[in-house]
């Protein structure tokens, strides 16, 4: 039976979970936890998930926003991982073409750079083979003029040519939300802002958790036959609670991205390039902006709120001006930024960019199953391994049998568009329909591209609630996004809407400033916030707006930093 995923019913869902026993309880609502919930629910397991922040608030909204095969890991001979995640790109795309799309990537090579013509050609050929790339998307090698024709802004000095290959671009937060929505539609119960404070044991076995609702302070107990630690950067924190942090452990690294308007950085073509110190950086055009990243530095401070520093910003700006010398980007051109933490598995003696992105599953004496490491691209395969393990253990313990994984061909929420090949026709048809609901063609098309097959629900809500838009001082297209985020995506705070549900704080920060006050007022009315709650959530959004633009060092007056 489909469960509610409305923020107005969030407390009700917690009451339903309280004292109940599930087959599987997942701690962590990033892409890995969401994938596990979907896999388990589609196999018929009674499934629950709790997340201490918002869904995707950690690493899963702060990546380079690529479902990519990890070309650079070939240099580290991670052949098996490249083969596995490379093949997964097409699966992720086919199951949700509204949140993932192929993106041709240009890899220029210069004299003395990391890549040469021969190594690039061989590397991309091997990559195509390992990733099972379809013929139309296999790599092409370019000479100097062809490379510059694709992207005229590239540094011409000592340019030797370029490789051209396909990656897949995604909206990482929306991918996570859509996977979570589908898990809920298949019967899982999932709640955000619910922090596991204590683990409950019986005869040395973990049987449940005690979790606190971060919005009202109430405490709930949730029980399960099997419990999964899918908390990403907090994996070791939970293992410490379980007294099972031994052997392998995490090494956190931080990456940041800068967003610049296309008027200042008119990049035509996604580019993957090396920096003078040998690191690899992406520059990607998206929605009228160009975003560039990532850095790769060891990190051991505020895991929940990583921030850009002066050093981070300078490194990325220097990288842009090194590869695209004519644009002459400076600090005033940076509209927004984001910082994210990668939970990698510690490897002694390796620097941040050399550590493997492979995933591992650990099981403690108490029965806690931990999934660590891994990449966004491989989330579905990671989930399959975790649920296979849980299903095997449940069977051994006499709790029934479960079928094999079903998610390889299972569309995520919004993905029922008739397959990726049919998506362009779907967009055209549904955009035309949108005109009848009072939307402009541009507004309708953007909504269809964002919500995929859920657009019919959006149109239903416009009919039922569209007249509330004007009364709340919002244009119809803004209002309906906010309404849908609360009603169908458990958006509980303004930051949920402006960061995870729309991506606007990163890619359209002016839009956030323009509509934040009426959006906050409308959410406060609909979710019945007190004056104190409204003030608290407003301050939280203002802090995020500030942090997206102002480096940490400038804010506290401390300009000491280390890369």
């Amino acid at each position: 039976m489909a469960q509610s995923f409305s923020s107005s019913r969030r407390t009700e869902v917690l009451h339903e979970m309280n004292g109940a026993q599930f087959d599987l309880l997942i701690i962590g609502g990033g892409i890995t936890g969401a994938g596990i919930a979907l896999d388990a629910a589609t196999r018929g397991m009674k499934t629950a998930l709790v997340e201490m922040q918002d869904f995707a608030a950690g690493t899963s909204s702060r990546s380079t926003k690529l479902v990519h095969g990890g070309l650079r890991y070939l240099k580290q001979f991670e052949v098996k991982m490249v083969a596995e995640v490379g093949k997964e790109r097409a699966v992720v795309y086919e199951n949700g073409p509204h949140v993932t799309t192929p993106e041709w990537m240009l890899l220029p090579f210069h004299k003395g750079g990391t890549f040469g013509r021969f190594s690039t050609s061989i590397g991309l050929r091997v990559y195509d083979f390992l990733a099972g790339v379809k013929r139309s998307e296999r790599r092409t090698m370019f000479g100097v003029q062809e490379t510059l024709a694709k992207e005229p802004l590239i540094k011409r000095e000592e340019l030797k040519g370029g490789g051209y290959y396909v990656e897949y671009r995604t909206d990482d937060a929306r991918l996570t939300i859509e996977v979570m929505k589908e898990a809920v539609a298949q019967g899982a119960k999932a709640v955000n802002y619910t922090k596991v404070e204590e683990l409950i044991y019986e005869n040395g076995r973990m049987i449940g958790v005690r979790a606190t609702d971060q919005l009202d302070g109430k405490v709930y107990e949730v029980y399960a036959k099997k419990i999964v630690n899918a908390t990403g950067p907090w994996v070791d924190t939970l293992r410490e609670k379980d007294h099972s942090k031994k052997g392998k452990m995490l090494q956190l690294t931080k990456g940041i991205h800068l967003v610049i308007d296309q008027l200042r950085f008119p990049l035509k073509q996604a580019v993957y390039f090396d920096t003078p110190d040998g690191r690899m950086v992406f520059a990607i055009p998206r929605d009228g902006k160009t975003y560039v990243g990532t850095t790769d530095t060891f990190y051991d401070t505020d895991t929940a709120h990583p921030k850009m520093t002066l050093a981070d910003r300078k490194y990325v700006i220097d990288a842009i001006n090194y590869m695209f010398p004519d644009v002459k980007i400076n600090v005033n051109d940076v509209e927004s930024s984001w910082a994210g933490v990668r939970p990698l598995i510690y490897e002694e003696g390796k620097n941040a960019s050399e550590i493997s992105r492979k995933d591992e599953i650990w099981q403690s004496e108490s029965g806690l199953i931990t999934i660590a490491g891994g990449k966004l691209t491989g989330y579905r395969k990671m989930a399959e391994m975790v649920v296979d393990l849980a299903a095997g253990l449940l069977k051994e313990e006499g709790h029934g049998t479960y079928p094999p994984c079903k998610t390889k061909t299972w569309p995520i929420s919004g993905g029922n568009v008739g397959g990726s090949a049919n998506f362009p026709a779907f967009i055209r048809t549904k955009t035309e329909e949108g005109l009848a609901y009072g939307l402009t063609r541009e507004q309708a098309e953007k909504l269809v591209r964002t919500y995929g097959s859920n657009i019919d629900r959006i149109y239903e809500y416009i009919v039922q609630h569209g007249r509330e838009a004007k009364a709340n001082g919002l244009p119809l297209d803004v209002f309906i996004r906010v309404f849908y985020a609360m009603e169908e995506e458990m958006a509980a705070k303004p930051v949920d809407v402006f960061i995870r549900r729309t991506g606007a704080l990163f890619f359209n920060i002016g839009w956030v400033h323009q509509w934040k006050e009426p959006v906050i007022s409308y959410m406060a009315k609909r979710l019945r916030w007190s004056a104190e709650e409204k003030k608290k959530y407003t301050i939280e959004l203002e802090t995020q707006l500030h942090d997206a633009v102002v480096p940490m060092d400038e804010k506290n007056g401390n300009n000491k930093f280390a890369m």
Side-chain angles (χ1 to χ4, degrees), residues 494-495 498-499 505 509 512-513 516-517 520 534-550 555:
V495 287
F498 286 119
I499 300 178
L505 193 135
I509 201 164
V512 182
H513 284 292
K516 63 184 180 181
E517 288 179 17
I520 290 169
K534 184 180 177 182
K535 183 181 177 184
K536 183 170 77 172
Y537 298 151
T538 301
I539 291 169
E540 184 181 31
L541 177 61
E542 294 292 350
T543 301
Q544 292 281 356
L545 284 163
H546 183 260
D547 289 347
V549 181
V550 182
K555 198 165 47 185

Side-chain angles (χ1 to χ4, degrees), residues 56-82:
T59 307
S60 297
S61 59
R62 297 168 178 275
S63 73
T64 306
K65 307 188 187 301
L66 290 173
V67 176
H68 68 104
L71 173 64
R72 73 186 177 97
Y73 308 126
L74 276 181
K75 286 169 64 183
Q76 297 158 20
F77 301 103
E78 294 273 7
V79 175
K80 186 170 182 286
M81 188 187 75
V82 172

Side-chain angles (χ1 to χ4, degrees), residues 145-396:
Q145 293 311 313
E146 291 169 300
T147 302
L148 289 171
K150 284 292 178 191
E151 184 44 72
L153 294 175
I154 284 172
K155 183 174 69 159
R156 293 165 182 257
E157 187 184 341
E158 298 187 315
L159 178 65
K160 309 289 273 183
Y164 201 49
Y165 70 106
V166 167
E167 291 285 21
Y168 287 71
R169 180 162 56 90
T170 193
D171 183 324
D172 50 2
R174 285 218 57 81
L175 174 65
T176 304
I177 300 293
E178 299 289 33
V179 174
M180 195 75 76
K181 279 158 68 180
E182 188 59 29
V184 170
Q186 297 307 316
K189 290 184 187 292
V191 279
N192 51 7
Y193 296 108
T194 304
K195 185 178 182 181
V196 171
E197 305 276 12
E198 291 176 59
L199 306 174
I200 303 170
Y201 297 87
E202 188 177 82
N203 301 322
R205 300 291 292 174
M206 193 185 301
I207 60 163
V209 302
R210 201 164 283 117
T212 304
D213 184 344
Q214 301 297 286
L215 303 187
D216 67 11
K218 290 179 182 167
V219 179
Y220 299 87
E221 290 186 357
V222 186
Y223 297 90
K225 296 164 191 167
K226 295 295 156 202
I227 299 173
V228 176
N229 172 10
T231 55
W234 294 272
V235 151
D236 282 350
T237 307
L238 202 64
R239 289 168 79 209
E240 280 172 5
K241 282 186 191 293
D242 184 46
H243 307 293
S244 60
K245 187 185 165 187
K246 47 194 166 192
K248 292 188 177 181
M249 60 186 72
L250 290 189
Q251 170 69 69
L252 303 184
T253 73
K254 186 183 77 171
I256 75 120
H257 297 77
L258 303 184
V259 180
I260 297 160
D261 196 276
Q262 282 257 312
L263 292 172
R264 273 297 290 118
F265 190 0
L267 195 72
K268 290 168 44 177
Q269 160 73 56
V271 180
Y272 186 35
F273 64 97
D274 56 348
T275 60
D277 64 358
R279 297 186 203 181
M280 298 301 297
V281 172
F282 289 98
I284 301 169
R286 171 178 162 167
D287 299 335
K289 311 294 178 186
T290 294
Y291 71 96
V292 187
T294 177
T295 55
D296 225 341
T297 51
F298 290 128
Y299 186 74
D300 62 358
T301 45
D302 186 354
T303 310
H305 304 103
K307 296 181 179 73
M308 167 182 69
T309 64
L310 278 168
D312 293 330
R313 186 178 66 183
K314 181 179 186 304
Y315 182 88
V316 176
I317 290 174
D318 287 349
I320 294 168
N321 290 329
Y322 166 76
M323 186 51 65
F324 309 98
D326 292 342
V327 295
K328 296 181 171 55
I329 295 300
N330 63 58
V331 294
N332 298 319
D333 297 317
V334 178
E335 285 192 356
S336 185
S337 71
W338 69 88
V341 177
R342 301 180 196 89
L344 308 178
I345 298 167
Y346 174 75
E347 293 179 67
E348 194 171 345
K350 291 201 173 182
N351 69 37
S353 58
E354 289 174 333
I355 296 178
S356 171
R357 269 59 175 169
K358 67 177 180 286
D359 52 82
E360 292 189 23
I361 298 171
W362 306 324
Q363 201 176 355
S364 77
E365 289 175 14
S366 72
L368 177 67
I369 298 167
T370 293
I371 175 80
K375 288 168 55 59
L376 174 76
T377 312
Y379 85 88
R380 195 198 63 81
K381 285 295 290 182
M382 289 158 64
E384 182 179 349
M385 290 190 297
V386 169
V387 181
D388 280 350
L389 173 62
L393 293 168
L394 288 167
K395 184 180 178 181
E396 279 174 26

Side-chain angles (χ1 to χ4, degrees), residues 465-502:
H465 300 277
R467 60 190 171 278
E468 295 173 34
K470 198 171 183 181
N472 287 281
L474 289 164
L476 183 59
D477 64 316
V478 177
F479 168 82
I480 205 63
R481 281 170 173 263
V482 179
F483 182 92
Y484 185 82
M486 288 189 287
E487 193 61 30
E488 300 269 347
E489 299 181 336
M490 208 176 270
K493 300 180 181 182
V495 287
D496 303 342
V497 171
F498 286 119
I499 300 178
R500 267 85 56 183
R501 305 306 182 278
T502 64

